[in-house]
Amino acid sequence: IANKSDDEKVSDVKIVAAGRMRALQMPPVFEKVIELSGKAQPHVVYIGTASFDRTDKFNLCTKAFRELECAIERLDISDPNTVPPLEEMRHLIVDWADVLLCSGGNTLHALLRWKETGVDLLMKEAAEKGKVLC
């Protein structure tokens, strides 16, 4: 992002870093994510790669967003058999999402899978478009 020329407008990168999966259930943290999204009911893409796409972690991490009746999509890429086509992931991450919500867990696994699937570059593109990363 810092390599952009002065003529190119780059939005501020919006990152909410929380050290625990339950942190997003804490009102100040959750409210900040909503505020940064600029929408009362943001579209949320849950990327649970670090927790190996476990449903219990999805339910925990998205609870507050579900209670607010946000639209939530889940991107499961831990298993090579569940990885959607790149254009489908681009639409979901870069175009549709307002918030990218990543689970905690095995960070090395997540980083390797994101790089293998191209999700790392899609997240960068989303960040450059002003999406909230958390």
Side-chain angles (χ1 to χ4, degrees):
I1 295 173
N3 295 338
K4 296 279 184 182
S5 71
D6 290 337
D7 297 334
E8 294 180 73
K9 173 132 177 47
V10 176
S11 66
D12 292 331
V13 175
K14 302 172 189 174
I15 298 174
V16 177
R20 301 174 359 165
M21 283 191 225
R22 295 183 197 273
L24 281 173
Q25 307 309 311
M26 299 168 63
V29 177
F30 175 73
E31 290 165 6
K32 190 60 172 181
V33 172
I34 300 299
E35 176 189 327
L36 288 171
S37 78
K39 296 186 178 177
Q41 293 175 303
H43 290 170
V44 177
V45 172
Y46 175 78
I47 305 172
T49 318
S51 61
F52 297 88
D53 300 324
R54 288 175 38 187
T55 298
D56 61 326
K57 301 300 183 186
F58 167 79
N59 290 334
L60 177 64
C61 290
T62 60
K63 181 180 183 220
F65 293 100
R66 283 183 282 116
E67 289 173 354
L68 190 58
E69 298 182 358
C70 295
I72 301 171
E73 291 290 334
R74 184 173 169 173
L75 181 61
D76 291 345
I77 60 170
S78 284
D79 181 344
N81 296 318
T82 63
V83 178
L86 186 61
E87 283 309 311
E88 186 177 323
M89 292 191 296
R90 171 174 272 110
H91 170 72
L92 202 58
I93 293 171
V94 178
D95 299 327
W96 185 81
D98 301 306
V99 175
L100 299 177
L101 177 59
C102 299
S103 71
N106 186 327
T107 305
L108 179 59
H109 169 71
L111 293 174
L112 291 172
R113 290 300 296 147
W114 294 347
K115 187 172 177 93
E116 289 169 4
T117 60
V119 167
D120 60 336
L121 297 178
L122 295 176
M123 286 183 182
K124 179 182 179 206
E125 190 176 341
E128 290 171 344
K129 286 184 74 173
K131 311 299 179 159
V132 181
L133 308 179
C134 49

